Structure formats: structure tokens, C-alpha cells
């Protein structure tokens, strides 16, 4: 047929460098990107870590091998390099070696996001960054400006946005089906066994707290569903000690006031019983005011209607009886080899990656100036649509986290978020 082209000539595939080879790369990012590789969106995957040990673990993972037979990545440093040799700057060499317009996935600890994202943008790459983008509002603004200058997309991976129930609620809220948000409660309590992990080395009072680490997911979600901005935050933290003796906020309650006067209470902690059906406890309740009646959004994100009792203690925390979420991330049989990832975790990674891929294809073949102008337009459309979190449309999250840290360290002081030309926080 005239005008018809072979599929292979129609669209390029992305080269991807993942910086960071830890838990989130193993559990979510790499399996999602492997699947996008076999569906043609991605061509080649490189992974950089601080040393070779996590890279070996990823390559030797029985689960990943079984799900993605024959697929692999290029490790930096190489597998054979001694694990005690550290390479904190190696990611720069790898990114410098990438052709412009590909994708860097940032999955290093929170405090390294800023410099890694910036380096990737300076080298003309698109970015998928795990939450939080950065720790300071001013850094988010700087990244937003740099991304706009380069016409590259920075997508922040807030996967709860892609949970179908969030998307259904967002559409309903926008259509006025519930009324106006007035009072809400969100809860995310992570398992007790987290206290025995590497958390005990970094989850200390001076660095973070349960609200900052996981409460932000639900604050982002209420912003995503309602479009309302938070204007005041106060967080009370309950201290305790990790097994290694380090002091931390192990429980917290956040109180967030919104621009229309609504109130959201956010309960967080590291303490859902290992013996309980889990792996954690979470959910969202939002009450709304309408004309002559009230509306309600109720999401039980903990018990999603599936419970399994295993023969052995293979559940989280060694439990046998469990609530199983088929909604976040699971590897399941599909029409191809191995298993495919399903769930909102996968859809969130795919949503960002496919948008970067689409923008690349829509501007391929244009002269450099025209391509840059068109990319900037397309990125502005993504910002305005508000589905993918970008620095331009989600930096309320950086303001909330800054306010929360100031508040918790001052015994739940009220901290205001002031918008306008120069958004900032102030002790209330
Ligand atoms: N729900 C979520 O959205 C979610 C869940 C878990 C983690 N995260 C985020 O993901 C990020 C990583 O978390 P994690 O649990 O995978 O951490 P992790 O400690 O398991 O892994 C961190 C990885 O970063 C690598 N690294 C450190 N410094 C590096 C450097 N200079 N160059 C290259 N690699 C370097 C380490 O080698 C390690 O592989 C954090 O920002 C965390 O907040 C998000």
C-alpha cells in the first residue's frame, strides 16, 4: 500500500541508562523496562551503581531471568570488578556517552537525585526520576527551567497516580460528581520488618520521617484528584529506636490544610505487624461537600479483595495468610515468553517512558531548531495535562516536604506554604 512503511522504519527505540541498582530497580524499574524493551519501546539498557554487587544481584535474579529470558543489561562497573571498589562518578561517563534525546532513569538515594537529574539534562537526556524529585523547592524550579531550556521531559514516578481507582476518582472529581473536598484521612503504615533493614542506617530523625518518606504519596494523590494546593502543614512524630540503637521518628501524623480550607490527616509509620496480613496498611478517605448533600471517595488500598493463605511462610514478613494486591506490580503469564509485569507500578513507568518515546518520534527528522521548539511545546502539553508528574506541575510536593521537615523538628509547628511569584514556606 502506498505510504505504508515497515514497522521497523516507523519509530526509533530509546536507549536507557538506569543510575542506581537497588531495591526499586529490582522490584519495579528493571522488570518494567525489560518489558518495554521486548515491546520495542526500548533498545538497550545500561545500569550504573556505586559498586558491582547490586548489578550482579540483578543479573543473577532468578525471578528476572525467569520472567525475561534472554534479556540483559550492560553493567557499570563490570560484574568482575571487586565489590569493595566504589564508583560514585561513573554514571557521568556513561551519560556522557549517550546520544542526545534518550532516557536516564534516576534511582539513587534521595539526596543524590538533584545532581544526577541535572547532569542528565545538561547532557540532553530525558529523565524518569523516582519520587521525590528533589528535597528542596528551589532545586525543583532549577530542574524545571533546565528541562524547558533543553526541551526534554522529566517525569517523576508517583505511581499511585496510575492506580485505576485514582484515575477514576480524578475524572469523577473533575466532573463534579463528589462535590468539594472538605475532610480526609490517608494512611500508609509500612511493615515492622523494615526496621531491621538498611533503613536503620539512614532513616534517622535528622534526615527523614514517615510523613516525608511515604505520606507524600497520599498528599500528591489528593492534589492529583482534586487539583487543590496544600497551604499549611504540621507533622507530629513519635520517636523510637532501631535495633542498632539509632533514634528515628517511627510513627507520624501529618495535618495538611488545603487552599479551600479542607483538612487531610495523614497517618504513617514503620510498624505494620509482620504477622498481620499485608504487606502494609494503606488507604484514603475523602469527604466532600455538595449542594444539599455530601460526597465520599473511599479507597481501601490494603484489602483489595484478594487473600491467599500459603502453605509456607512465603508472604511479607514470613507470614502465611496475606492480602495480595494484584494492582501495584505482579509478574503474570502473557502471550510471549516468560512473564509480563502488570499493575499501576508498571503503567506509571510505561506512561513516562512511552511519552518520552512519543515526543522523540514526533520531532524526529525536524531541523534542530524546529525540533527543539516542538519538543518544548509537547513538554508544556504534558505539564498542563497534569497526569504525569513533572517539575512544572508537581513541585507542591517539594514545598510540602520542606514544610513537613521544618514542622516535625519543631514539635509539630504549623508551617505555611505561600504561593505567588516566589513560592516558599514560613513558620505559621
Ligand atoms: N514508592 C516509591 O516510589 C519508592 C519506593 C522505594 C524507593 N523509592 C526511591 O528510590 C530511590 C532508591 O531507593 P532504593 O530503595 O532502591 O535504594 P537502595 O539503597 O536499595 O539502592 C540505591 C542504589 O543507588 C546506588 N548508588 C548510590 N550512589 C550511587 C552513585 N553515586 N552512582 C551510581 N549509583 C549509586 C547504589 O549502588 C544502589 O544500587 C530513593 O530515592 C527512594 O526514595 C521510591
Amino acid at each position: 500500500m502506498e505510504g505504508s512503511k515497515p514497522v521497523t522504519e516507523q519509530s526509533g527505540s530509546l536507549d536507557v541508562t538506569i543510575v542506581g541498582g537497588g531495591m526499586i530497580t529490582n522490584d519495579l524499574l528493571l522488570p518494567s523496562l525489560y518489558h518495554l524493551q521486548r515491546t520495542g519501546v526500548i533498545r538497550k539498557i545500561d545500569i550504573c551503581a556505586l559498586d558491582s554487587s547490586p548489578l550482579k544481584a540483578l543479573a543473577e535474579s532468578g525471578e528476572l531471568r525467569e520472567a525475561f529470558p534472554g534479556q540483559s543489561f550492560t553493567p557499570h562497573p563490570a560484574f568482575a570488578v571487586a565489590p569493595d571498589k566504589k564508583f560514585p562518578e561513573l554514571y557521568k561517563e556513561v551519560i556522557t556517552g549517550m546520544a542526545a534525546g534518550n532516557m536516564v532513569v534516576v534511582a539513587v538515594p534521595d539526596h543524590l537525585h538533584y545532581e544526577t537529574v541535572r547532569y542528565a539534562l545538561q547532557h540532553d537526556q530525558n529523565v524518569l526520576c523516582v519520587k521525590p524529585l528533589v528535597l528542596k523547592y528551589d532545586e525543583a524550579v532549577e530542574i524545571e527551567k533546565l528541562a524547558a531550556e533543553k526541551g526534554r521531559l522529566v517525569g517523576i514516578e508517583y505511581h499511585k497516580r496510575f492506580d485505576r481507582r485514582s484515575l477514576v476518582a480524578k475524572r469523577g472529581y473533575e466532573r463534579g460528581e463528589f462535590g468539594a473536598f472538605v475532610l480526609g484521612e490517608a494512611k500508609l503504615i509500612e511493615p515492622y520488618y523494615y526496621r531491621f533493614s538498611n533503613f536503620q542506617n539512614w532513616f534517622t530523625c535528622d534526615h527523614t520521617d514517615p510523613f516525608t518518606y511515604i505520606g507524600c504519596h497520599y498528599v500528591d494523590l489528593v492534589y492529583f484528584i482534586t487539583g487543590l494546593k496544600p497551604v499549611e502543614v504540621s507533622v507530629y512524630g513519635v520517636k523510637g529506636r532501631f535495633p542498632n540503637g539509632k533514634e528515628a521518628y517511627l510513627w507520624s501524623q501529618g495535618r495538611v490544610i488545603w487552599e479551600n480550607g479542607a483538612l487531610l490527616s495523614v497517618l504513617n509509620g514503620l510498624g505494620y505487624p509482620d504477622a498481620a496480613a499485608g504487606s502494609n496498611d494503606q488507604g484514603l478517605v475523602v469527604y466532600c461537600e455538595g449542594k444539599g448533600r455530601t460526597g465520599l471517595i473511599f479507597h481501601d488500598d490494603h484489602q483489595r479483595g484478594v487473600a491467599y493463605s500459603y502453605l509456607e511462610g512465603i508472604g511479607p514478613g514470613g507470614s502465611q495468610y496475606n492480602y495480595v494486591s494484584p494492582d501495584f506490580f505482579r509478574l503474570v503469564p502473557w502471550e510471549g515468553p516468560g512473564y509480563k509485569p502488570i499493575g499501576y507500578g508498571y503503567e506509571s513507568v510505561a506512561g513516562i517512558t512511552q511519552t518520552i518515546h512519543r515526543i522523540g518520534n514526533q520531532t524526529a527528522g525536524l531541523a534542530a531548531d524546529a525540533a527543539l521548539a516542538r519538543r518544548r511545546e509537547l513538554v508544556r502539553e504534558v505539564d498542563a495535562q497534569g497526569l504525569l508528574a513533572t517539575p512544572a506541575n508537581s513541585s507542591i510536593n517539594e514545598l510540602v516536604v520542606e514544610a513537613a521537615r521544618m514542622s516535625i523538628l519543631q514539635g509539630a509547628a504549623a508551617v505555611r506554604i505561600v504561593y505567588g511569584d516566589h513560592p516558599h514556606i514560613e513558620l505559621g
Side-chain angles (χ1 to χ4, degrees):
M1 189 171 62
E2 200 189 341
S4 178
K5 285 183 179 176
V7 172
T8 45
E9 285 177 23
Q10 290 178 22
S11 59
S13 304
L14 290 169
D15 288 344
V16 175
T17 296
I18 308 177
V19 187
M23 180 185 76
I24 194 82
T25 299
N26 178 73
D27 294 359
L28 173 64
L29 300 170
L30 184 56
S32 298
L33 296 170
Y34 268 159
H35 190 63
L36 290 163
Q37 186 176 43
R38 63 185 172 193
T39 58
V41 176
I42 289 174
R43 189 178 74 98
K44 163 175 174 305
I45 300 175
D46 288 63
I47 310 184
C48 306
L50 191 55
D51 55 65
S52 63
S53 53
L55 299 172
K56 266 199 216 148
L58 288 170
E60 287 166 9
S61 154
E63 188 174 66
L64 291 177
R65 281 187 178 184
E66 188 187 27
F68 306 97
Q71 290 182 250
S72 60
F73 62 87
T74 307
H76 307 272
F79 297 130
V81 173
D84 57 340
K85 280 194 157 178
K86 306 291 174 194
F87 297 87
E89 304 280 310
L90 182 58
Y91 76 90
K92 295 185 177 173
E93 262 177 53
V94 179
I95 291 175
T96 307
M98 295 172 76
N102 283 295
M103 179 167 95
V104 172
V105 175
V106 177
V108 285
D110 297 2
H111 65 282
L112 298 176
H113 291 188
Y114 169 67
E115 64 175 68
T116 317
V117 172
R118 227 167 44 123
Y119 195 86
L121 283 173
Q122 280 163 345
H123 290 78
D124 219 1
Q125 302 302 322
N126 300 285
V127 175
L128 181 157
C129 184
V130 295
K131 71 82 202 164
L133 174 64
V134 284
L135 299 170
K136 297 260 175 268
Y137 173 75
D138 289 349
E139 294 173 350
V141 171
E142 195 189 326
I143 285 174
E144 176 189 341
K145 284 191 183 143
L146 188 55
E149 185 191 310
K150 298 280 187 182
R152 298 297 177 195
L153 185 74
V154 176
I156 307 144
E157 207 277 292
Y158 277 102
H159 39 242
K160 282 191 180 294
R161 290 181 171 211
F162 281 78
D163 194 338
R164 288 177 183 188
R165 57 189 62 189
S166 313
L167 293 162
V168 173
K170 179 178 172 62
R171 182 160 184 262
Y173 192 93
E174 282 170 1
R175 293 156 69 98
E177 291 170 4
F178 305 114
F181 167 42
V182 64
L183 184 77
E185 185 179 51
K187 179 177 56 176
L188 207 177
I189 312 288
E190 293 287 21
Y192 179 75
Y193 63 79
Y194 272 26
R195 297 188 192 184
F196 296 87
S197 72
N198 191 36
F199 268 62
Q200 51 188 319
N201 294 318
W202 62 271
F203 199 95
T204 44
C205 296
D206 48 336
H207 283 114
T208 190
D209 56 79
F211 178 91
T212 298
Y213 180 63
I214 39 179
C216 61
H217 275 299
Y218 277 106
V219 176
D220 180 69
L221 207 53
V222 169
Y223 166 65
F224 179 69
I225 292 170
T226 67
L228 293 165
K229 288 182 180 159
V231 294
E232 190 182 295
V233 177
S234 66
V235 183
Y236 183 77
V238 181
K239 289 181 185 171
R241 288 194 187 275
F242 281 115
N244 67 359
K246 288 196 178 167
E247 192 172 52
Y249 294 110
L250 293 177
W251 306 91
S252 65
Q253 194 254 346
R255 189 167 159 276
V256 181
I257 315 266
W258 301 74
E259 60 183 325
N260 68 342
L263 170 72
L264 178 74
S265 167
V266 188
L267 293 179
N268 298 113
L270 300 185
Y272 187 68
D274 290 349
S279 61
N280 57 19
D281 188 10
Q282 52 177 318
L284 174 69
V285 184
V286 169
Y287 282 92
C288 302
E289 287 277 353
K291 273 200 185 128
R293 63 195 66 177
T294 50
L296 168 67
I297 298 170
F298 176 88
H299 292 173
D300 183 346
D301 297 338
H302 173 218
Q303 211 319 10
R304 290 175 181 246
V306 184
Y308 292 159
S309 193
Y310 302 112
L311 293 177
E312 307 295 334
I314 57 168
S319 55
Q320 278 179 260
Y321 180 74
N322 260 281
Y323 296 149
V324 175
S325 166
D327 296 348
F328 169 51
F329 186 90
R330 293 278 155 185
L331 293 166
V332 299
W334 72 306
E335 320 79 74
Y339 296 95
K340 77 168 181 181
I342 56 160
Y344 61 86
Y346 166 71
E347 280 166 20
S348 168
V349 174
I352 295 170
T353 309
Q354 283 163 346
T355 302
I356 290 171
H357 184 239
R358 171 175 63 80
I359 293 175
N361 284 332
Q362 285 181 342
T363 52
L366 297 179
D369 283 0
L372 176 60
R374 182 75 184 119
R375 288 202 312 269
R376 285 176 173 159
E377 260 173 36
L378 292 168
V379 169
R380 278 199 298 271
E381 281 175 21
V382 175
D383 291 339
Q385 190 194 31
L387 191 60
L388 301 185
T390 66
N393 70 23
S394 78
S395 52
I396 64 118
N397 288 310
E398 276 73 28
L399 289 163
V400 167
V401 163
E402 271 192 59
R405 290 301 299 158
M406 183 183 276
S407 174
I408 199 167
L409 291 170
Q410 302 196 33
V415 178
R416 289 195 301 133
I417 300 175
V418 182
Y419 293 95
D421 289 346
H422 303 288
H424 61 278
I425 60 168
E426 281 176 6
L427 217 46

